[in-house]
Amino acid sequence: MTFPTKEFPNDLEIARRSKLRPLPEVAGTMGIGPHLLEPYGDAVAKVKLEAIEELSDRPRAKYVVVSAITPTPLGEGKTTTTVGLGQAFSHLGKTATVAVRQPAMGPTFGIKGGAAGGGYSQVVPMEMLNLHLTGDTHAVTSAHNLLSAMIDNHVHQNDDFFHVDRHSITWRRVLDVNDRALRNIIVGLGPRTDGIPRETGFDITAASEVMAILALSTSLRDLRERLGRIVIGNTVDGEPITAEDLKAAGAMAVMLKEAIKPNLMQTLENTPVLVHAGPFGNIATGNSSIVADRIGIRGGDYLITEAGFGADMGAERFFNIKCRYSGLKADAAVLVATVRALKAHSGRFEVVAGRPLPPELLEENPDDVFAGADNLRKQIENIRLHGVSPVVAINAFPTDHDSEHAAIREIAEETGARVAVANHFSEGGAGATDLAEAVAEASEEPTEFGFLYPEEASLREKIETIATKVYGADGVAYDMKASQQLDSYEKNGFGNLPVCMAKTHLSISSDPTLLGAPKGWTLPVREVRASVGAGFIYPLCGEMRTMPGLSATPAATRIDIDENGEIVGLS
């Protein structure tokens, strides 16, 4: 390991020292001409969708997804690894494009902070990435809430065309701020002219089905059609009501006309980055957009994209939902592992978001790493279930010890997986060249990429396949409500959709307290919801918070602007 001995600058200081390359030059390395760019200031540009067709004759890049072992509440540096790996290929004489989600501002001002990478592996300007960017998230918020308003207006006007069962309405409102007080609200209070009272609530914008639609659409036309298929509830006769029925989908598409264009940025080392969409990782795909990948797949030797949370979450959805709709097949997968996460999976330490790590966790003890090894072994297996070669990336931290890295290497190599230590946080792309070489080797291996389940399987078969094969459950237990919902979705013609399991990201199981690779448990499915527009059914396996709250001392308390107009305190 090599880490600087003097005080390490913070992410914002590093980002501000970067020398940005003109975006037309960055785009040119991908084969994208200036006529396909719509500048948004000097540091960001929208890429026109015509780029997909114009680049179609270029060679296809190797497609690499970055995932992780089950993370601690602090995260294990997937975005930083994604960026560092993208930068590393230039040190090997290769070209790469990075594709990532846009961060949600709620977590930026909450506990997590920004999501532009870290250290010398960042997307820049990091302030723009973390704060508004080009307004795509606001467009999603507005489009979603337009539909919300039209639903309540329809109920208020009591349209004779069809009558909405108010108790069946599942469409809530959204906001890109962590605000627990808005989780459950009553609308329509006041005089009769202010609407009809009913219970509803707010989710964070990243949890909106509109955001998932933006991520999974393949074109503007596809976006428009998916918006029309959104199901918001039922009629009093039990028939599904869509956004098309409410005549809202067209206006929603208009509001998203610019948002469907990916955003072009760059890393500290001027590697091109496509930033697009930001679906929630617990109840949606947790992956960046198909449109961005369809552009990036023709933009160089490698396309590096990131999937949210562990391989049982984002990577499983990447393979079985995103790749199913995009038609793209992964050539390799990176599995980020850290010493601290494997030690946490030993069950000997308590790691809490917003609090310092336990001092004893930072002491040299490879036995603690071995004690948490089952999680790494299972997540390697989860990658292989899809016929893709895994590469374990040991994301090095200054508090690590060589003996602990050796322990991770031993565990990974026992499974036959490639493994490399990466120091991209402190050294940038140069610190991840070993990882890049391992990924290049893995991507050249013949793959037998395949989905876990066929489209024609029943919804219960799909759920049970993921539960038993990916999560290691003995089986699935359905609440009566969930069974009735599954029957209803099959009856209404939604049984061919893939499933997106909504569960905790802190365990391979549905119980966040179960560490490692739990055995002898049954997956509970208490409710099943349909994101018909996005194109998936999502079973709820445990309590899912779709509107986060702020901590006692949120990151927002440290963020300010100085006398020179510069942002301070953003991390």
Side-chain angles (χ1 to χ4, degrees):
M1 294 181 292
T2 57
F3 292 101
T5 55
K6 61 181 181 180
E7 185 175 349
F8 199 74
N10 65 42
D11 291 350
L12 190 53
E13 290 170 341
I14 293 172
R16 286 193 175 144
R17 296 171 189 168
S18 63
K19 294 182 179 180
L20 298 181
R21 191 176 179 186
L23 276 180
E25 293 182 14
V26 175
T29 66
M30 299 175 63
I32 296 174
H35 64 290
L36 294 171
L37 300 180
E38 296 176 351
Y40 192 92
D42 296 327
V44 183
K46 285 284 188 182
V47 182
K48 297 179 182 178
L49 299 191
E50 289 82 355
I52 296 173
E53 180 62 30
E54 287 202 23
L55 298 178
S56 61
D57 291 336
R58 287 172 56 91
R60 180 189 178 280
K62 295 293 186 181
Y63 195 28
V64 181
V65 61
V66 178
S67 186
I69 62 173
T70 302
T72 66
L74 305 177
E76 309 316 312
K78 271 199 318 300
T79 304
T80 307
T81 302
T82 301
V83 174
L85 176 59
Q87 294 180 153
F89 278 110
S90 66
H91 295 263
L92 302 181
K94 301 289 185 179
T95 57
T97 300
V98 172
V100 294
R101 288 179 292 171
Q102 180 179 340
M105 284 200 300
T108 296
F109 289 110
I111 288 179
K112 184 177 179 181
Y120 289 96
S121 293
Q122 292 188 59
V123 181
V124 287
M126 66 95 83
E127 306 101 303
M128 288 195 69
L129 179 62
N130 288 313
L131 304 172
H132 305 293
L133 196 54
T134 58
D136 294 349
T137 299
H138 302 309
V140 169
T141 301
S142 297
H144 180 114
N145 290 339
L146 171 64
L147 179 55
S148 302
M150 292 185 74
I151 292 167
D152 281 308
N153 182 61
H154 183 92
V155 172
H156 174 67
Q157 302 291 352
N158 195 22
D159 191 337
D160 289 335
F161 182 66
F162 58 82
H163 295 287
V164 179
D165 176 0
R166 280 178 280 162
H167 299 291
S168 75
I169 297 173
T170 56
W171 196 258
R172 290 155 57 91
R173 285 166 169 79
V174 295
L175 184 70
D176 194 24
V177 173
N178 289 5
D179 193 344
R180 62 170 54 83
L182 293 177
R183 287 172 181 164
N184 299 284
I185 64 170
I186 297 175
V187 295
L189 295 178
R192 184 185 298 271
T193 54
D194 289 347
I196 296 177
R198 68 179 184 88
E199 266 192 77
T200 182
F202 275 80
D203 298 324
I204 194 166
T205 300
S208 168
E209 183 179 348
V210 177
M211 183 66 86
I213 288 172
L214 184 67
L216 291 171
S217 295
T218 57
S219 66
L220 182 59
R221 172 173 289 190
D222 187 38
L223 173 76
R224 170 63 182 82
E225 293 174 352
R226 287 174 180 267
L227 291 170
R229 294 197 293 267
I230 291 172
V231 174
I232 61 93
N234 300 322
T235 67
V236 292
D237 297 322
E239 294 299 316
I241 301 170
T242 66
E244 200 69 64
D245 293 329
L246 294 171
K247 298 181 172 57
M252 294 170 71
V254 168
M255 299 177 83
L256 296 168
K257 183 173 71 72
E258 298 303 315
I260 195 174
K261 301 171 185 175
N263 305 289
L264 178 65
M265 300 183 74
Q266 59 189 291
T267 72
L268 290 168
E269 298 180 15
N270 311 123
T271 301
V273 182
L274 294 170
V275 182
H276 202 210
F280 208 49
N282 290 94
I283 65 164
T285 55
N287 284 258
S288 58
S289 78
I290 286 175
V291 167
D293 284 3
R294 292 185 70 193
I295 293 171
I297 202 70
R298 302 289 179 178
D301 298 316
Y302 297 89
L303 172 60
I304 317 296
T305 190
E306 176 192 355
F309 298 134
D312 57 305
M313 299 282 285
E316 184 273 312
R317 297 160 184 175
F318 169 85
F319 293 131
N320 293 296
I321 300 177
K322 185 178 181 182
C323 289
R324 194 182 296 266
Y325 286 125
S326 71
L328 300 175
K329 297 181 179 180
D331 296 293
V334 174
L335 199 64
V336 178
T338 63
V339 167
R340 69 181 188 185
L342 285 174
K343 284 184 173 182
H345 279 290
S346 71
R348 300 171 181 175
F349 310 95
E350 184 180 8
V351 179
V352 180
R355 297 183 188 175
L357 291 170
E360 58 272 20
L361 183 144
L362 305 180
E363 297 173 0
E364 183 173 8
N365 192 339
D367 287 342
D368 288 339
V369 176
F370 284 114
D374 282 349
N375 189 269
L376 175 57
R377 295 188 186 100
K378 184 66 180 85
Q379 299 291 28
I380 290 173
E381 178 187 321
N382 287 339
I383 296 294
R384 287 202 170 112
L385 284 173
H386 300 89
V388 177
S389 296
V391 178
V392 174
I394 303 174
N395 184 19
F397 282 71
T399 52
D400 296 350
H401 301 274
D402 289 338
S403 63
E404 295 167 337
H405 287 176
I408 297 176
R409 182 179 294 277
E410 181 179 335
I411 296 161
E413 289 179 343
E414 283 177 354
T415 71
R418 290 178 173 84
V419 60
V421 177
N423 291 300
H424 45 279
F425 181 89
S426 58
E427 300 175 18
T433 53
D434 288 348
L435 175 60
E437 288 175 346
V439 169
E441 289 178 4
S443 66
E444 293 295 335
E445 287 185 349
T447 61
E448 297 181 0
F449 175 78
F451 304 125
L452 273 183
Y453 49 79
E455 183 179 285
E456 60 272 15
S458 71
L459 293 176
R460 285 178 176 81
E461 288 172 334
K462 293 168 184 173
I463 292 168
E464 288 154 18
T465 296
I466 295 173
T468 56
K469 290 189 175 182
V470 178
Y471 304 158
D474 290 342
V476 179
Y478 301 95
D479 284 3
M480 182 179 295
K481 179 180 180 181
S483 289
Q484 291 170 344
Q485 290 165 327
L486 285 169
D487 292 340
S488 175
Y489 294 144
E490 296 274 7
K491 176 184 175 183
N492 287 324
F494 305 146
N496 64 322
L497 296 178
V499 294
C500 182
M501 307 290 279
K503 74 172 189 72
T504 179
H505 60 285
L506 297 175
S507 172
I508 292 180
S509 75
S510 59
D511 182 346
T513 67
L514 297 180
L515 303 175
K519 302 289 185 183
W521 61 282
T522 299
L523 181 73
V525 176
R526 61 177 180 82
E527 186 180 347
V528 184
R529 298 178 185 172
S531 288
V532 180
F536 56 76
I537 302 294
Y538 63 101
L540 295 170
C541 309
E543 188 66 30
M544 292 295 108
R545 289 291 190 195
T546 52
M547 170 55 85
L550 294 174
S551 66
T553 54
T557 62
R558 301 184 292 276
I559 297 172
D560 208 333
I561 195 161
D562 66 17
E563 63 274 11
N564 300 314
E566 297 284 358
I567 295 169
V568 295
L570 184 64
S571 61

